[in-house]
Amino acid sequence: MGKKICCIGAGYVGGPTMAVIALKCPEIEVAVVDIAAPRINAWNSDQLPIYEPGLDDVVKQCRGKNLFFSTDVEKHVCEADIVFVSVNTPTKTQGLGAGKAADLTYWESAARMIADVSKSSKIVVEKSTVPVKTAEAIEKILSHNSKGIDFQILSNPEFLAEGTAIEDLFKPDRVLIGGRETPDGAKAVKALKDVYAHWVPEDRIICTNLWSAELSKLAANAFLAQRISSVNAMSALCEATGADVTQVSHAVGKDTRIGSKFLNASVGFGGSCFQKDILNLVYICECNGLPEVAHYWKQVILMNDYQKTRFVNRVVASMFNTVSNKKIAILGFAFKKDTGDTRETPAIDVCKGLLGDKAQLSIYDPQVSEDQIRKDLTMNKFDWDHPAHLQPSSPTAIKQLSVVWDAYEATKDSHGICILTEWEEFRNLDYNKIYNNMQKPAFVFDGRNIVDAEKLRDIGFIVYSIGKPLDAWLKDMPAVA
């Protein structure tokens, strides 16, 4: 009789992770459960609810054999030996710690439900990104409602990168499992380790205490985000001095102690975790009486906000200090290529900034729906991470906005183009054709440094590339903050 695994939460983490576990462990029955019926229906259909290269294949190989998607949450939780909890941990929007602390409402209700329906001992694995010490809170809820059933809590944080999630799951840098340092805790750690050992080399499975595992997740994201903010801080200085940020980061990245990854200057970082995890880290530091440490990490986010503001200011300043009623093409809305995810994407703040100056936006992204874009631009900060029924129901129509089906339509008759996602197709557009159909002077603001600026200048464009020496035009029209 094989083990049964159940995962509560069918999102970007739960879906792909469970699909890969099912593929690699054919003798384990894996159920992914969620109360949102439309989401489960999508997982059971031909059109999965998330776009991730390679995900389709994995799901279709296992679905119906040992991988099941269901809304019958209680049945599958009751039957499982191991329950992964992969629910949302949004940032609180009101009350104690608003704007910083994680909202553990969904976590807590999941824990209470597990205690309610369980008839046999279980291992409960926290998979969502959670603030340090969540495991302890969950443990208290379970033990006070346990009716004599034994629950072991493990922390098994997620290190997936969107766009490469399947690859990351197949060949992880490391799998981290944190548990209690007791005989029962050690047993639980071993049980989860045995699942991963089906395909992950033993030396890549790291076992720690609970707090270390929880904090390692926040630390990893904080360090990565910090690298991006560091190179973005340099990009501003490069523009001011005539240095080239790609040359600087190349030189810096050659130092083996630093390494070359995550040193691309851009319009800013996005994604569901970086900002949220750092805010969490800041809040934990403050709660533990460490204001200096909190202040240090806060700067990473402030620098990211500054980068987006700087980009908008540059666009407006270059166009004679106004974009009012000018058509601006926005190429790319997802927070990075190869994902349809728009959570915390820099495009939101850039678009809001331009709309604030009354620009007419025409947006194209190969993977993001019009509905999603309109929602993102009308939502308040942090709302995106709360369940759909708590989000503003019908987005108020933004009249100055159209979402179109290709880059040529977006750029037609526009005054300027902002490239905000590094989709490969944007490198290979026919920029001659685009130039001929634009208002002149025609501007390109490359927020991802993916186009060949010199080629574009030869065509006739005025080009702004982040952290690169400025066109004479841009020097003559400085961005006044």
Side-chain angles (χ1 to χ4, degrees), residues 8 18 43 57 118 123 151 172 216 218 235 310 321 324 434:
I8 304 172
M18 294 304 121
W43 279 110
D57 289 352
S118 294
I123 296 170
F151 292 105
S216 298
L218 296 187
S235 74
R310 215 165 69 73
N321 248 337
S324 182
I434 287 175

Side-chain angles (χ1 to χ4, degrees), residues 47 60 67 124 202 248 266 282 349 410 450 469:
Q47 191 62 51
K60 284 167 188 173
L67 174 64
V124 178
E202 185 110 5
V248 173
S266 71
V282 166
D349 286 341
I450 62 165

